[in-house]
């Protein structure tokens, strides 16, 4: 009996120890309902405007890359077409030369391997002998000439074929660059539109007002700095023609990659304006900055191009009175604005 009591006591102790040593489930405090959770900090309208501007600047940079790739694709396509025509002409020429050489070979075969001139040279008649010598000389020269021409034609054809392959490779590389740039453009524009869409109508109106205020402040600061010595210098005849064209496009929408007549991007507008003035210039703002003559801002005259941003990805045309005509960005139309309302990289003169 005593043993049973001891055993029962031991079992009780073991069970108690097991309970005490068992893991205890932790219970977290319940999350507060959504209505009392802390809302994320919202951006101010000024911050939203800066973010939208940044996205459109990135889209502008990608647009310049797209336009440059498009120009390269056009150039490679034209060169490839020229090479294709040269290859076709080369093949036709080789076929004609082979026919000519083949005809000469067949003629020799029909005459037991001796051309007519050789047969005459073996004649006992002195006149026919002299005539035969001349015929032999002419026949040999013709054969040598045909063979030399055939070799040159084959070498040219091989060179054209190699060039065509190189051009094709560059063409495909240009198309890939275009595709990447197009993807980047659309992504940045979509981001900017999404930001704007999240704003209420009154906020969007206020956003536009903030944009105008910032541009006006920048323009005022630029003019008061004395950077532009004379706001009404006289334009050159071609400059006036370019300005006339550009001003006539005011109100037309910005569309990236567009060169008119119904819509433009920034460099599409400036390049077409100068094309109308009979002075073709590079298609993109970055190439305009690289290739055209740089002019001091203080010496600027109507028709000159103002290149904007540190990466030269925007351009407008100076029209006098401290103003520039330009195609701003998606969602905007070709317009007049203060020349100093954006970050100026420098000025170039297409007809310098």
């Amino acid at each position: 009996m005593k043993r049973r009591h001891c055993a029962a006591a031991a079992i009780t102790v073991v069970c108690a120890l097991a309970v005490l040593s068992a893991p205890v489930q932790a219970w977290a405090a319940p999350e507060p309902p959504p209505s009392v959770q802390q809302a994320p900090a919202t951006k101010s309208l000024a911050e939203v405007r800066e973010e939208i501007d940044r996205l459109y600047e990135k889209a502008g940079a990608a647009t310049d890359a797209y336009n440059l790739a498009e120009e390269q694709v056009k150039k490679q396509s034209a060169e490839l077409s020229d090479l294709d025509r040269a290859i076709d002409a080369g093949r036709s020429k080789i076929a004609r030369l082979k026919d000519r050489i083949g005809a000469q070979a067949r003629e020799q075969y029909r005459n037991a391997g001796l051309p007519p001139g050789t047969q005459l040279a073996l004649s006992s008649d002195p006149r026919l002998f002299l005539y035969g010598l001349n015929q032999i000389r002419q026949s040999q020269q013709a054969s040598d000439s045909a063979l030399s021409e055939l070799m040159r034609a084959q070498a040219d054809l091989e060179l054209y074929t190699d060039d065509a392959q190189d051009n094709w490779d560059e063409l495909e590389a240009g198309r890939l660059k275009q595709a990447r740039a197009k993807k980047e453009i659309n992504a940045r524009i979509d981001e900017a539109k999404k930001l704007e869409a999240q704003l209420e109508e009154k906020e969007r109106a206020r956003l536009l007002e903030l944009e105008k205020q910032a541009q006006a402040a920048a323009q005022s600061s630029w003019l008061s700095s004395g950077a532009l010595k004379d706001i009404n210098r006289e334009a050159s005849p071609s400059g006036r023609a370019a300005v006339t064209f550009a001003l006539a496009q005011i109100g037309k929408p910005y569309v990236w990659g567009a060169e008119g007549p119904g819509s433009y991007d920034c460099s599409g507008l400036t390049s077409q304006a100068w094309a109308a003035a009979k002075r073709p210039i590079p298609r993109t703002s970055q190439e305009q900055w690289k290739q055209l003559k740089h002019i001091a801002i203080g010496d600027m005259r109507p028709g000159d191009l103002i290149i904007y941003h540190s990466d030269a990805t925007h351009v407008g045309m100076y029209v006098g009175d401290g103003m520039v005509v330009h195609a701003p960005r998606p969602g905007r139309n070709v317009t007049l604005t203060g020349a100093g309302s954006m970050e100026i990289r420098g000025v170039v003169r297409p007809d310098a």
Side-chain angles (χ1 to χ4, degrees), residues 75-339:
K75 179 183 177 182
Q76 297 306 136
S77 296
E79 289 180 359
L80 196 56
S81 295
D82 291 341
L83 286 168
D84 283 342
R85 286 191 290 270
I87 288 171
D88 288 342
R91 286 172 177 163
S92 298
K93 184 176 183 179
I94 288 172
R96 291 194 302 271
L97 289 168
K98 285 182 177 179
D99 286 344
R100 188 198 307 174
I101 293 170
Q104 291 172 348
R106 289 191 296 272
E107 180 67 21
Q108 290 182 5
Y109 178 79
R110 284 194 295 268
N111 291 285
L114 295 175
T118 305
Q119 295 179 19
L120 288 170
L122 297 175
S123 171
S124 58
D125 188 328
R127 288 173 299 175
L128 290 177
F129 177 77
L130 292 175
Y131 175 75
L133 285 177
N134 187 53
Q135 288 292 95
I136 291 172
R137 189 180 299 111
Q138 290 181 4
S139 177
Q140 187 62 46
Q141 288 175 347
S143 297
D144 291 346
S145 176
L147 284 171
S148 297
E149 193 173 357
L150 176 61
M151 292 176 67
R152 285 195 300 270
Q154 288 175 329
D156 288 344
L157 182 60
E158 185 176 346
L159 182 61
Y160 292 151
T161 303
D162 290 343
D163 286 348
Q165 184 60 54
D166 291 342
N167 273 264
W168 177 258
D169 292 342
E170 290 180 18
L171 181 64
E172 287 303 299
R175 286 173 175 161
L176 287 174
K177 287 180 183 178
Q178 272 187 286
R180 287 194 296 267
K182 182 177 182 180
K183 184 177 180 180
E184 173 73 11
I185 293 165
N186 288 329
R188 300 292 80 80
I189 291 175
D190 288 345
E191 283 185 70
K193 286 181 176 179
K194 185 177 179 180
L195 276 176
E196 289 181 296
Q198 292 172 351
L199 301 174
E200 296 180 1
E201 185 176 350
K202 63 180 181 180
E203 289 176 317
R204 286 196 291 272
R206 177 61 180 156
L207 193 69
L208 183 60
E209 183 61 28
L210 285 174
E211 181 181 312
K212 291 179 179 178
Q213 288 176 3
Q215 290 176 350
Q219 173 71 355
S220 177
S221 175
W222 180 67
L223 288 176
S224 62
S225 72
L228 187 61
K229 299 173 184 175
D230 184 351
I231 64 173
N232 286 314
R233 276 194 172 83
E234 185 177 353
S236 66
S238 54
R240 283 195 296 271
V243 168
T244 299
F245 179 94
L247 291 175
Q249 312 314 309
I250 288 178
K252 294 182 179 180
Y254 176 104
V255 174
W256 65 264
E259 299 178 79
S263 58
Y264 297 89
D265 64 18
C266 65
S267 58
L269 175 64
T270 55
S271 61
Q272 288 302 304
W274 274 99
K278 311 300 181 186
R279 290 293 187 102
I281 63 173
R283 167 66 176 88
T284 70
S285 59
Q286 289 179 333
E287 290 303 305
Q288 289 169 6
W289 175 244
K290 287 179 183 177
Q291 298 184 34
L292 301 179
K293 184 176 180 179
H294 291 202
I295 299 296
I297 294 175
D299 297 329
M300 188 164 53
R301 71 188 187 195
D304 289 345
L305 304 182
I306 305 180
I307 308 298
Y308 291 99
H309 308 315
S310 58
D311 55 0
T313 52
H314 189 69
V315 60
M317 179 179 291
Y318 185 64
V319 296
D321 292 323
M323 305 295 286
V324 66
V325 58
H326 73 140
R329 64 169 177 81
R332 300 283 192 267
N333 297 331
V334 176
T335 188
L336 278 173
T337 192

Side-chain angles (χ1 to χ4, degrees), residues 39-61:
T42 57
K43 293 182 178 180
S44 68
L45 274 179
E47 290 172 327
V48 171
R49 185 185 69 81
E50 289 176 1
E51 178 71 5
I52 289 172
D53 286 347
R54 183 182 62 82
L55 289 169
Y56 278 124
E57 282 182 20
K58 286 187 175 182

